[in-house]
Amino acid sequence: MNTKVTGEKKSSQKTTLLPILLAGLGLIALIAVALILRSYQGVVNDPLDALILPPFEINQPAPELTLFDLDGKEVTLSDFRGKVVLLNNWATWCPPCREEMPEFKIYYDKYKDQDFQIVAIEAGDPEDDVRNFVEREGLDFVVLLDPENKSLITFQQNTLPNSFVIDRDGNLRMSWLGAINGPTLEKFVTPLLKE
């Protein structure tokens, strides 16, 4: 008799959980549809924009780092004092890194005359691969080679891409783990250009 009662309770629990599960799935579907509709109405250009996380807030002096550019010239982060710098650690083999580069190019071209600089630090790929990628994408901001991953070590990162914003006084202000896009740059970096 206990077995029958227990069996009835399990059956009752299953039928109670099913509507809750269906309601949860329906809610997820409604949120997805709302995001898509908002994108078509011009509220959000890309439905994924609504899912982008804000940066991590930081307030400390940027570490010193010296590497070489594609022309063999030594470049140090402090060379950019007086500019707002987006430092990006990336690699040519990394799909999210490759996807954000056109966004960076558009943003850089728009704001380079306002003392804005992108410093893209390539994490260890052969120089020819980096050079070919930069030429193919038409990147005209600073690209540094980092065969020993000094930047990843200095900024205590082990995933790509990651980005840091350094203000005009040489202080780290914010960082992201993962790819970022133009609207994110506009929302979080552009206000620093006005400081």
Side-chain angles (χ1 to χ4, degrees), residues 105-180:
K105 179 177 174 19
I106 291 167
Y107 188 83
Y108 176 70
D109 289 344
K110 183 175 180 180
Y111 291 105
K112 63 185 175 186
D113 293 334
Q114 295 181 36
D115 290 326
F116 173 72
Q117 182 63 58
I118 293 178
V119 177
I121 301 177
E122 208 290 330
D125 286 337
E127 183 177 337
D128 287 342
D129 292 353
V130 179
R131 188 179 304 281
N132 290 337
F133 180 87
V134 167
E135 289 173 3
R136 184 172 61 248
E137 297 296 320
L139 305 179
D140 55 348
F141 45 78
V142 175
V143 175
L144 303 179
L145 300 171
D146 191 6
E148 298 172 2
N149 291 320
K150 290 179 182 178
S151 183
L152 293 175
I153 294 166
T154 299
F155 286 91
Q156 301 175 3
Q157 297 298 315
N158 59 8
T159 60
L160 294 173
N162 59 73
S163 299
F164 294 83
V165 177
I166 303 169
D167 68 17
R168 297 179 194 280
D169 297 321
N171 295 309
L172 288 173
R173 296 287 293 273
M174 61 188 85
S175 70
W176 288 270
L177 301 178
I180 54 178

Side-chain angles (χ1 to χ4, degrees), residues 59-105:
N59 190 10
Q60 65 186 44
E64 197 52 88
L65 181 66
T66 301
L67 296 166
F68 291 90
D69 67 12
L70 291 170
D71 295 325
K73 178 185 170 195
E74 189 175 81
V75 178
T76 301
L77 283 183
S78 61
D79 295 343
F80 302 104
R81 190 65 51 93
K83 295 186 176 194
V84 173
V85 175
L86 175 70
L87 182 144
N88 175 256
N89 289 299
W90 68 289
T92 61
W93 54 263
C94 164
C97 302
R98 291 193 308 262
E99 289 173 15
E100 68 185 353
M101 284 298 163
E103 301 274 338
F104 289 165
K105 179 177 174 19

